[in-house]
Amino acid sequence: MDGCYIGIDLGSTTTKAVIIDSDERVLGRGITNSRSNYELACQIAREEAEIDARFITLSQHLEQSRSVCEQREELMANLSSYYGLAHYLRQLKALSDDCLGARERWLCSEDEAEKICDALSFIFSEMEKDAPNEFQPEKLSQSDFFRDLASSAYMRHAERVCTERSLSFGRMIGLFDGAILRVENQSFAGDFEDYLEFARLKTLDDPRFATFGDPISTSVAATLNKTFNVINTVGTGYGRLTLPFDKQQIRSEILCHGLGAHFMFPKTRTVLDIGGQDTKAIQIDEKGIVTAFQMNDRCAAGCGRYLGYIADEMNMGVHQLGPMAMQSSKTVKINSTCTVFAGAELRERLALGEKREDILAGLHRAIILRAMSLLARSGGVMSEFTFTGGVAKNEAATSALKTLVIENYGDVTINISHDSIYTGAIGAALFAKRDPRGVMADLEISKLKVKKKAPQKMAGMASVAT
Amino acid sequence: MKMTAENIINRCEELHDDLHFNYVKQWKEANDAKAIGFMPVYVPRELIHAAGMLPVGIMGGGDNMEIIRGDAFFQSYICRIPRSTIELGLTGRLDDLDGLLFPAICDVIRNLSGMWQMMFEGKYIKYLDVPQNFGEQGRAFYSAELADMAKAFERISGNKITDDSLNTSIALYNENRRLIAELYDLRAEAPHKVLTSDLFLLMRASNILEVTEHSQMLRDYMVSIRNSDRPIRDHVRVVVTGAFCEQPPLSLVRAMENSGCFIVDDDWVLGNRYHLDPIDVGDRPMAALIEAYLGKTVATASRYEEGDDKGMYLVNQVRDRNAEGVIFASASFCDPALLDRPMIQDVLTRENIPYTAFKYAENTGQIQVIKEQTGTFADSIKLWGVQ
Amino acid sequence: MNIQVDIQKEDSMLIQKQMIAGHFEKLSKAKENNKKVVYTFVPGNLNELIRAFDMLPVHPEVNALQSGMRKMSGGYIQEAEKTGHSEDVCTYVKCDIGMMKKGNIGPTGLPLPKPDLLLLSYTGCFTFLKWFELLKQEYDCPIVMLQAPYQAEGEITPEMRDYVTKQLEEVVVPALEDVSGKKLDRDRLKELLESSARAEELLVDIWNSAKNKPSPIDAYFGGVFYIGPIFTAFRGLPECEDYYRILKAEVDYRVANKLGPVTPEGELNQQKYRIVIEGPPNWTSFRDFWKIFADEGVVMVASTYTKVGGLYENGFRHDPQRPLESLGEYCLGCYTNHSLPARVEILQNYIEDFEADGFLINSIKSCNSFSAGQLLMMREIEKKTGRAGGFIESDLVDPRYFSAANIKNRLESYFQMIEAKRVGA
């Protein structure tokens, strides 16, 4: 098997990993939330990337089977969702065990504790029942982390249970919050083989796929047999200095973003990345090598964090800001991009009777204006331009950016990729591959267990395996 | 159109808001002549005028201009006026100016002159390094500076600056200064009639209007306003200081006034009140210009003051205008104003004059916060009076 | 041999330490020894003139930067801000005012004497005017101002030279005579200027030694740490010449043996990047700041900050034949008195003459004279040299305005960019 290379981008909110092969083809991508434990975040992101790569292998094998080919996508969606379900149930079990296991620390009467136990058991059994529904093939989304999925389901049930049984909702939330922190800081990908086996069996139960027993089993076997010979790993991102890597295996975000953007859009000469903590304007040459860059000055004005602050001020979710701003019919001018001052200015505008959507449109424009000046500082936009980072997912921000770039630099090509969150990790993987020193190091951070034990029936799955 | 105060102020506001300087364009076409821009605070406008050119004061971009390219050149800790000036330049809004003067007011404006040299090659760019030595040595140096500038103006305009033409210009500006002084006196006397926002706009108009036109405007305004019946209000009389370069936005000027303060003196657009006495009209007009600069002028932070009278100019202003307090309104990151402030505050404390201080930017969005502050200041004076 | 070098090395450092300690010792005893004290700035300092009157100079910026290095500046700045100084303005000024309010204890722990004269050399920095206006409010002593007009058009005109010379002759010298109670001894001044010119010759050689590979000196950190300081307070005195002779010998030895400079992390012989740097350093985290560079294998081969006290590489020397005129020219020639296009040219020359891999700008919040326009300078220099520029931000002595993580992050990206350009990806 050919060698492969891994890039890891340890960001302030999410950690991304990308695996490429020696022809610089992307084999798999993985993402997880960064948590407080960076090392674990790296491990999980990498595992996720490896799982992604294995699923791609699976898909390729199925494609070769003439009998499957028509239904391959449907089949893959089924396998993935059952895989996800199995993984979720395993985590849920751990969460439930953790919650109930902490009973002696609850500091309450026996009666009370009994009531809480009952309630918890009920909530988790309800969550388990809901799970298959959450993992319908058509609902699948990689960006939903366990924390988000579990917490919204838990809240839903806990709220009802607490009202019905007159229990303190706050207390129930507290129990969840403690447990999720601990569970989140464990990897459950080790049982990859079990999950996949579960997915295989469940899929074959489906009459639509009943005839595909052989191709599925062969493909699953091939997937499990696949090995990853990691030749080099490079880390980047906000937390890169905390990575357990050698200095030679660390590259700055700027360089990785430049090379990653070049990889995705080879004609790109200018890259703008607006992340949670900083904004970067990068100029690259025809090979993707950085020729100039600028970052926001020492305050975080105009970064993703600014939007978070505004969302708090307006009592909204960050993801709601963009859509609301898009409804604006006129833009209110906001002059402060200082995170602190913007709050005051926002309140002032609201007091003057301006509409929330119009103010929000103004705020988005203000952020992009800051970015425009960084772009100008770094040398402007001369030809193809790529926008990456978390804020690139915000429609109001991209729309303001497009307008301003075209107004100021003419009709240049503007790329906004949905995969842009992986830009840094891709760049890091490419650096890993191109490292002139040819560092040989597998960092042993993946703990995926494959072909080490016989498939077994998994606890907590019986109830859904009908 | 009848020249009511309202009409005049509307016209001024249009001029204030017009960042494309259409007036300059039209004036140049109508007179087949050139225009020279200048940054705050002081330049000898008479010399530009005497060459048959229009002096145009550039005071940033206010709060209505989005800064895109200008920000690219300045760190966050530098004031706003150079950003908006660069933005004006790069967007072609200053193309009608045939030269730009950068008087020595601080290091930011000084360096802006060098930036202009690099960015707008071929234009006449002059860093006017006014002497801070006001004696014989400064006189010789300033004479050379002015002679050099006069030569350049003659070259650009194609007109000779003669003693006669310079005398005529000096007389016109003397008259303009007299009218401005009259306007300031009138406001101090009847601040409910001469709104500070009116005065601010009239002063800003002096940056752009040809001097005779501006003088006529002042006359018309004063005739109209003397006959107005704006109601008397119970406000506290204050002097505003520190706003001599980057100007507060109009909305902030209005907010201060509406918060309960009658502003009875200030230092905005200070260049057109720079000389306290008329400049001599006579045999040696160049020498008179020089003497006027070296001699009796306003005190302001960009003018070195080594004597023991630091702050007394402001104290006298407070006394003369019957003011009850001082508001330090300085642009954020304005070195001259902010370094001056503690010295002046000490003097005010010594003289028992209450004060308050805030910072603004020409595009500040914090109007309410400042209004609250000046309003509270006014209330506290009303309640407790001067100790 | 290394041992010997280390001893030699320590010789120059030890000597300069002693000289500075001796100076502060003299200052602390100035009043009892009837020595008059002149407060004046480093740029455009008239040390020869002051010494010709047998007076002692005090440099407020040097005190401020020393306070920064001794971690005292944060408290001093807050002290000044309590008395109404804005957080927006120069922290040298606030540090100085704060130090004064706290008893005016100098960097060696000895009290500083009050000034007998405030000699304001208004050279290249507008804030100087305000700074001494502020001091004037505090001290009951005369003040005299010397204005060095800005070289806006990139040259010294005869009018500028006349203006400065006349001020010296007619204003500054009489003020010094008044305060000292004696006439200017013009022969003594000539002697001092002759000595200065000799020391200047040595200093230029030392700066130019950085053209060697490896460079035997760090022209920025080493420059401000032990190469430059002696020049300010001692220029014109024999001990200054002696010091530079010793230093020059050390540097020559390092060149001959292909040795790099001594940094806090040891001798920097493996020099990965040769960098030219614009702007003052941060003083509160000076060591950390230096370490960031030393760790990356960076040697600074030329810097502009070390030229605020005088620019000699283009041939200017104090001239005993034209004493006041050359003192005036010296003031006019300080780095911060040059126009932006001229500064671009100076940096461009450094990059080319010293064969630098790139250039960095340390943009200082306090110092608009340096900082305003640096982003345009960077773009121009990149255009003219094809070399990449890096941009970081910090402050002189405000510990609140130094983020090691932020600076490290940018520098790392910057050096990796240079590296990537070298190898091609």
Side-chain angles (χ1 to χ4, degrees), chain B residues 232-347:
Chain B
I232 289 182
R233 287 178 293 175
D234 176 27
H235 279 184
V236 165
R237 296 168 68 90
V238 299
V239 173
V240 169
T241 189
F244 45 84
C245 181
E246 182 176 322
Q247 302 283 294
L250 181 58
S251 52
L252 180 55
V253 173
R254 289 197 170 120
M256 280 160 72
E257 189 163 38
N258 293 334
S259 74
C261 296
F262 277 142
I263 295 166
V264 291
D265 217 329
D266 58 64
D267 60 356
W268 32 66
V269 202
L270 192 59
N272 57 21
R273 303 170 64 204
Y274 201 79
H275 305 296
L276 297 178
D277 290 334
I279 302 176
D280 283 348
V281 175
D283 301 345
R284 301 175 59 241
M286 265 305 239
L289 269 186
I290 292 154
E291 290 315 312
Y293 169 77
L294 299 170
K296 213 171 152 196
T297 71
V298 294
T300 184
S302 60
R303 198 176 159 100
Y304 175 61
E305 208 179 345
E306 68 179 24
D308 298 323
D309 292 337
K310 187 86 197 169
M312 287 315 287
Y313 178 82
L314 180 65
V315 169
N316 290 333
Q317 223 173 11
V318 171
R319 305 263 189 262
D320 293 348
R321 297 296 192 194
N322 255 325
E324 297 155 278
V326 168
I327 295 176
F328 287 96
S330 338
S332 290
F333 305 108
C334 175
D335 282 343
L338 292 170
L339 284 162
D340 233 25
R341 201 175 68 185
M343 290 184 267
I344 311 262
Q345 284 178 347
D346 284 351
V347 176

Side-chain angles (χ1 to χ4, degrees), chain A residues 297-299 333 335-336 341-342 344-345 348-349 352 365 369-370 372-374 376-377 404 407-409, chain B residues 63-77 80 83 87 363-369:
Chain A
D297 40 38
R298 58 192 285 285
C299 73
K333 203 157 47 66
N335 287 323
S336 299
F341 288 161
E345 196 165 340
E348 197 163 321
R349 301 287 176 183
L352 289 171
R365 194 175 165 84
L369 280 171
R370 287 282 295 201
M372 289 300 293
S373 77
L374 273 186
R377 231 182 242 195
L404 281 163
E407 262 173 37
N408 284 279
Y409 298 104
Chain B
D63 58 350
N64 274 315
M65 192 170 67
E66 258 176 5
I67 305 284
I68 294 167
R69 286 168 240 197
D71 258 349
F73 297 99
F74 295 100
Q75 302 88 328
S76 54
Y77 51 78
R80 168 106 178 165
R83 301 164 201 271
E87 189 80 17
N363 69 333
T364 191
Q366 309 282 300
I367 310 289
Q368 271 324 97
V369 183

Side-chain angles (χ1 to χ4, degrees), chain A residues 201-234:
Chain A
L201 293 172
K202 293 293 293 178
T203 304
L204 289 179
D205 282 350
D206 189 326
R208 286 178 297 166
F209 309 119
T211 55
F212 297 149
D214 282 351
I216 292 178
S217 299
T218 335
S219 301
V220 164
T223 304
L224 292 173
N225 278 327
K226 188 174 172 72
T227 54
F228 292 91
N229 171 27
V230 180
I231 294 179
N232 192 13
T233 300
V234 162

Side-chain angles (χ1 to χ4, degrees), chain C residues 17 83 85 147 164 208 218 301 365 381 409:
Chain C
K17 215 176 161 178
T83 66
H85 280 273
Q147 178 179 15
V164 183
N208 280 335
D218 185 295
V301 289
K365 172 179 179 266
I381 297 164
N409 189 8

Side-chain angles (χ1 to χ4, degrees), chain C residues 212-238:
Chain C
N212 290 287
K213 292 181 186 174
S215 167
I217 60 165
D218 185 295
Y220 187 52
F221 294 107
V224 300
F225 184 47
Y226 69 94
I227 301 173
I230 292 304
F231 219 71
T232 303
F234 298 91
R235 205 181 56 228
L237 303 180

Side-chain angles (χ1 to χ4, degrees), chain A residues 240-241 247 250-255 259 278 287 289-298 375-380 431 434 436-437, chain C residues 272 295-296 375 378-379 382 388-391 393 400-403 406 408-414 416-417 419-421 423-425:
Chain A
R240 64 180 181 274
L241 294 176
K247 191 171 181 239
I250 294 172
R251 286 290 180 290
S252 90
E253 301 145 88
I254 304 277
L255 262 76
L259 194 54
D278 59 25
K287 290 182 188 151
I289 299 303
V290 177
T291 54
F293 70 90
Q294 283 288 328
M295 293 168 84
N296 56 305
D297 40 38
R298 58 192 285 285
L375 274 175
R377 231 182 242 195
S378 74
F431 273 114
R434 298 175 188 188
R437 292 170 289 248
Chain C
K272 242 172 110 187
D295 284 350
E296 294 279 351
L375 284 157
M378 176 160 107
R379 195 179 289 185
E382 281 182 337
F391 196 81
E393 289 178 56
R400 297 168 298 190
Y401 210 88
F402 182 84
S403 160
N406 198 321
K408 231 178 135 127
N409 189 8
R410 281 177 203 216
L411 287 176
E412 214 178 83
S413 296
Y414 175 70
Q416 287 183 12
M417 173 171 91
E419 183 68 28
K421 274 185 171 175
V423 297

Side-chain angles (χ1 to χ4, degrees), chain A residues 294-342:
Chain A
Q294 283 288 328
M295 293 168 84
N296 56 305
D297 40 38
R298 58 192 285 285
C299 73
C303 301
R305 185 69 203 96
Y306 173 83
L307 284 177
Y309 185 82
I310 295 304
D312 290 349
E313 281 281 326
M314 291 191 122
N315 209 7
M316 293 169 69
V318 184
H319 59 282
Q320 296 171 300
L321 296 179
M324 180 176 257
M326 289 305 284
Q327 287 165 19
S328 148
S329 48
K330 79 167 216 236
T331 302
V332 171
K333 203 157 47 66
I334 300 288
N335 287 323
S336 299
T337 37
C338 169
T339 315
V340 181
F341 288 161

